[in-house]
Amino acid sequence: MTSVKHMKWWGWGNEGVGFHHEDKPGFAPFVEYAVGLDLGTATRAGEPSFDELNVPKSKATVAFTKQLAKIVGKDNVTRDDMVRVIHTYGKSLRDLVRIRSNAIKRCPDVVIYPADESEVQAIVDAAVEADAVIIPFGGGSNIAGSLEPMPAEKRVVISLDLGRLREVIAIDTDSGLARIQAGAQGPDLEEQLNAQGWTIGHFPDSFTHSTVGGWVATRSSGMQSDKYGDIADITRGLRVVRPGGVLVLRPLPSTSSGPSVREMVLGSEGHLGAITEVTVQVHRIPAKRDVYAYFFPNWKSGIAAMQAIAESDAAPSITRISDAKETGFSLATSKTRTGFSKFSAEKALPKIMKTKGWNLDEICLSFIGFEGSVSHAKRQKALVDKIVGKHGGMGVGKGPGILYDQKKFDTPYLRDFLLDMGAAGDVSETATPWSSVVKLHAAAHTAAQQAYDSLGTKGWIMSHMSHSYHSGACLYFTFAFTFGDDPLGEYDTVKRAIQQSFVDNDGTISHHHGVGVEHSPWLEQDISPEGLKLVRGLLGAADPKNNFNPGKITPDEGAALPAAKTAPAAKTAPSTTVKAAPAKKAPAKKAPAKKAPAKATASKAAPAKKAVSAKKSAPAKTAAKKAPAKKAPSKATPTK
Ligand SMILES: Cc1cc2nc3c(=O)[nH]c(=O)nc-3n(C[C@H](O)[C@H](O)[C@H](O)COP(=O)(O)OP(=O)(O)OC[C@H]3O[C@@H](n4cnc5c(N)ncnc54)[C@H](O)[C@@H]3O)c2cc1C
């Protein structure tokens, strides 16, 4: 068996690790307030049973599989059902629901793990020769539908897993450039860099399970991008295996050699070949790294402060501010406080805020990071403190920032937990110029609420500004609702409304999650019909037989490349290319649905061998509707 480790086949992260809220007394009341779901009485669906999953039969013949085995050895190629399911989807809500509701229409037929670039070349050449489909696979963490084989694909689909290519090959210490194999996951590469005193500075929330090749292929962004840049800035050189040869882009600090081929590969989602190596700029590990928390009286003043910081001489590594709803969520769901921390958070700080005339329902929590030498970090903080003060904000020290830093990689497990309990949660993110940030934020909230109203369900949306630039910022929205009979159809309604509000309000369809099939219906509105023609032209010319990850980025690409007819720019949301799979009932399973434990078990996934049907686990929709309009749990300010 291959040495490559994978996430759970049915959810986020490592086996045996899950979200729990036993140490967060405000969590359950908040969930009830936000989406009308009573965690105390909702039935918890357990881990789905793999045995009950209908896995489409592999189309890879024994002869073809043997041909591939000659390249990588028989232990590194497989038609095993579980491995094929793991390589079918990313980790979007749509992906998780389809797996849970036994609605997988197409899987890769064979999964292959090459050891080096020459093996990747041999696989690509053999695949194109056989007119097979090749889908490069990094960590499988994308949430834009960037991996799934198209349901109607008749050809053999190969999932090309780069997981064995995980070395930091060399560091050019004179230039601060590191050559890294594309399949290296965040912890792999950061550990190897740290051992020599360097850091990449790229820390997406999915860091623990995503790869540098995947970051490049989706144009990823990390939480410290204000200092280190997005992956598009960090990536200097590339090696990409294409049919018959390797595209080599040397690591140049900058160049004016025509249109940027490097930029073409960035965000190409496997369409232009398999990235085998990325040369990234790296930095010496900073002597000082602190994240401070600030409060602002409201969203408008907080955003104005973030813009002023972006325009100033200050260069923080993180500028992030939550809107009032997300602030409420963070405060209500923090861990139990005791002693001075409790007094400070629940009594002293609210008192100070009230004295200032703040409405506690409007306060916004911000995290700002400072990194570098001790004197640099100190100076940046002094500059930021001044700007915060000018905009009516106040600092509350490092305590909440330490907590934020510690739990940032744990929160992804929350979505599986909610799904177990009958609520759907997902995210949508965009970037827009400063002049439209407040407008777009309000429009997305209104759009989501209208979608919930049209479904007759109680839903929630909250957001934060997560990355800032000289001319604008990224806004990141988290939405959740209690689903009824058709989780995917209901999800589509909400997600479409939010996405459409982005393009209607000067935002892009995605700041850092890519396009996949999830966002492709809006690509034309984002980049104009001529832009879409150019993208189709590039992908069609580079891959005339559509062998590389077909169906992603451009809508209906398989049918129309390269001379696609362009649809008129729609004002209303087009329907997504992937139709919501009917929420099938899981195969009959007699085990009684488990009651939600009053206290969720610490760091343990739900007990094995429980049937999971998204439908089954949904509490009756009417229950959600009937949930009394509760008052928001009172906000308290954490100091720790
Ligand atoms: C809980 C959660 C949190 C997340 N947080 C963030 C975040 O903070 N920032 C962010 O940017 N994203 C985030 N994401 C999204 C996701 O992690 C990114 O899109 C990531 O870049 C995907 O990397 P991967 O290695 O998992 O790629 P995969 O999911 O395996 O693949 C994604 C796409 O890239 C292509 N690809 C992968 N490797 C290669 C290669 N070597 N050569 C050519 N093509 C390749 C695939 O074919 C596919 O089209 C998050 C996702 C989840 C589930």
Side-chain angles (χ1 to χ4, degrees):
M1 267 310 276
T2 178
S3 57
V4 178
K5 299 264 181 300
H6 298 297
M7 284 191 264
K8 292 166 190 161
W9 65 271
W10 56 271
W12 177 258
N14 297 325
E15 285 295 344
V17 182
F19 174 83
H20 67 93
H21 61 97
E22 62 181 4
D23 55 351
K24 302 174 191 78
F27 182 80
F30 193 90
V31 170
E32 187 164 9
Y33 159 69
V35 297
L37 178 63
D38 179 353
L39 294 181
T41 57
T43 50
R44 180 171 190 172
E47 185 179 320
S49 159
F50 191 79
D51 297 342
E52 291 168 352
L53 208 60
N54 300 321
V55 183
K57 206 169 165 295
S58 171
K59 289 180 192 292
T61 60
V62 173
F64 187 59
T65 312
K66 275 190 179 159
Q67 187 187 346
L68 294 175
K70 276 194 189 142
I71 301 169
V72 293
K74 65 174 173 30
D75 284 350
N76 291 301
V77 60
T78 180
R79 292 185 297 167
D80 174 81
D81 281 354
M82 167 85 82
V83 180
R84 291 195 298 120
V85 167
I86 286 170
H87 288 79
T88 299
Y89 296 129
K91 297 294 177 192
S92 72
L93 181 96
R94 191 192 299 284
D95 299 335
L96 302 179
V97 170
R98 281 183 295 187
I99 285 194
R100 285 164 179 252
S101 55
N102 204 359
I104 302 176
K105 291 207 174 123
R106 187 75 170 87
C107 279
D109 300 301
V110 57
V111 178
I112 189 159
Y113 301 89
D116 57 31
E117 188 176 272
S118 66
E119 290 188 1
V120 175
Q121 185 74 64
I123 296 163
V124 164
D125 290 346
V128 172
E129 169 76 26
D131 195 20
V133 164
I134 305 149
I135 305 182
F137 185 97
S141 72
N142 79 85
I143 50 175
S146 306
L147 280 173
E148 62 195 65
M150 294 295 96
E153 183 59 66
K154 299 269 187 301
R155 298 172 290 179
V156 170
V157 177
I158 302 171
S159 179
L160 176 56
D161 188 319
L162 281 300
R164 288 172 72 205
L165 279 73
R166 48 179 180 245
E167 299 296 314
V168 172
I169 301 165
I171 303 176
D172 170 353
T173 53
D174 289 338
S175 315
L177 290 168
R179 287 175 55 200
I180 304 177
Q181 288 186 308
Q185 300 206 346
D188 286 337
L189 66 89
E190 191 61 9
E191 217 172 88
Q192 294 174 64
L193 290 173
N194 287 177
Q196 299 184 56
W198 298 87
T199 178
I200 190 172
H202 185 72
F203 301 105
D205 290 359
S206 56
F207 177 78
T208 48
H209 296 282
S210 55
T211 64
V212 65
W215 299 339
V216 171
T218 55
R219 294 191 80 105
S220 164
S221 186
M223 61 188 81
Q224 276 141 252
S225 67
D226 283 13
K227 174 179 168 71
Y228 296 101
D230 298 326
I231 202 69
D233 308 302
I234 294 170
T235 300
R236 304 318 319 161
L238 285 164
R239 292 181 68 89
V240 184
V241 168
R242 298 197 16 86
V246 181
L247 162 68
V248 181
L249 297 171
R250 294 167 301 145
L252 300 168
S254 189
T255 168
S256 74
S257 47
S260 169
V261 180
R262 189 184 65 93
E263 281 279 340
M264 291 176 198
V265 176
L266 283 157
S268 59
E269 299 187 17
H271 268 294
L272 297 180
I275 302 163
T276 48
E277 190 181 309
V278 187
T279 302
V280 296
Q281 57 193 33
V282 288
H283 298 255
R284 291 278 179 204
I285 295 172
K288 189 87 182 146
R289 179 177 186 280
D290 285 324
V291 181
Y292 282 84
Y294 298 85
F295 277 100
F296 289 90
N298 52 50
W299 177 242
K300 223 169 159 182
S301 62
I303 287 294
M306 297 302 123
Q307 179 176 1
I309 292 167
E311 287 169 355
S312 76
D313 290 340
S317 54
I318 303 171
T319 42
R320 177 186 166 112
I321 181 162
S322 294
D323 66 8
K325 289 175 88 179
E326 193 174 273
T327 300
F329 169 78
S330 300
L331 301 185
T333 58
S334 53
K335 290 188 179 172
T336 313
R337 301 183 200 97
T338 51
F340 180 72
S341 156
K342 186 174 164 69
F343 167 75
S344 167
E346 292 169 17
K347 296 262 178 343
L349 267 172
K351 197 169 169 197
I352 296 171
M353 289 174 178
K354 278 188 189 153
T355 314
K356 282 170 167 281
W358 291 11
N359 175 349
L360 292 190
D361 288 335
E362 288 182 14
I363 58 169
C364 293
L365 173 61
S366 164
F367 291 113
I368 302 191
F370 305 98
E371 283 187 42
S373 65
V374 174
S375 60
H376 174 83
K378 199 171 162 193
R379 176 167 154 69
Q380 302 311 310
K381 180 164 184 306
L383 290 170
V384 164
D385 282 355
K386 219 166 158 186
I387 296 169
V388 168
K390 255 192 198 161
H391 287 83
M394 69 174 185
V396 290
K398 280 195 275 193
I402 293 169
L403 272 189
Y404 159 74
D405 232 17
Q406 284 166 355
K407 68 176 193 187
K408 65 195 172 198
F409 296 136
D410 296 338
T411 32
Y413 290 96
L414 172 59
R415 201 177 34 165
D416 288 311
F417 172 79
L418 286 178
L419 213 42
D420 283 349
M421 304 303 284
D426 208 24
V427 298
S428 266
E429 37 74 58
T430 184
T432 191
W434 286 115
S435 52
S436 297
V437 167
V438 171
K439 171 181 79 166
L440 186 150
H441 174 263
H445 279 248
T446 303
Q449 191 51 53
Q450 283 170 351
Y452 295 138
D453 290 347
S454 76
L455 294 170
T457 194
K458 188 166 164 59
W460 178 254
I461 181 165
M462 61 186 183
S463 43
H464 61 262
M465 189 214 82
S466 59
H467 308 267
S468 61
Y469 303 87
H470 181 75
S471 61
C474 164
L475 287 180
Y476 189 101
F477 297 83
T478 303
F479 57 96
F481 60 96
T482 310
F483 54 78
D485 292 339
D486 180 13
L488 288 185
E490 293 160 25
Y491 167 77
D492 264 349
T493 301
V494 183
K495 169 90 181 176
R496 272 186 217 166
I498 296 171
Q499 287 296 133
Q500 190 62 42
S501 76
F502 292 168
V503 285
D504 287 346
N505 289 280
D506 313 321
T508 178
I509 54 176
S510 174
H511 166 262
H512 58 260
H513 287 157
V515 186
V517 295
E518 192 74 23
H519 300 140
S520 64
W522 288 273
L523 186 65
E524 187 175 23
Q525 293 181 60
D526 192 328
I527 62 172
S528 84
E530 283 304 309
L532 181 58
K533 266 194 226 167
L534 282 178
V535 176
R536 284 192 197 279
L538 167 68
L539 302 183
D543 180 24
K545 290 200 310 184
N546 229 357
N547 296 109
F548 288 94
N549 203 9
K552 320 296 154 39
I553 302 182
T554 53
D556 303 319
E557 175 190 292
L561 267 178
K565 60 171 178 3
T566 44
K571 266 288 160 207
T572 51
S575 55
T576 50
T577 45
V578 174
K579 284 269 172 276
K584 278 196 211 159
K585 256 200 134 132
K589 179 81 187 174
K590 299 292 173 239
K594 261 199 107 183
K595 248 195 131 180
K599 286 183 180 180
T601 42
S603 296
K604 279 276 165 224
K609 300 289 170 200
K610 287 276 163 214
V612 164
S613 149
K615 191 172 169 183
K616 213 171 180 179
S617 61
K621 204 168 171 186
T622 43
K625 276 196 218 154
K626 270 192 252 149
K630 290 208 174 167
K631 235 180 123 41
S634 63
K635 281 184 184 176
T637 319
T639 51
K640 202 161 145 259

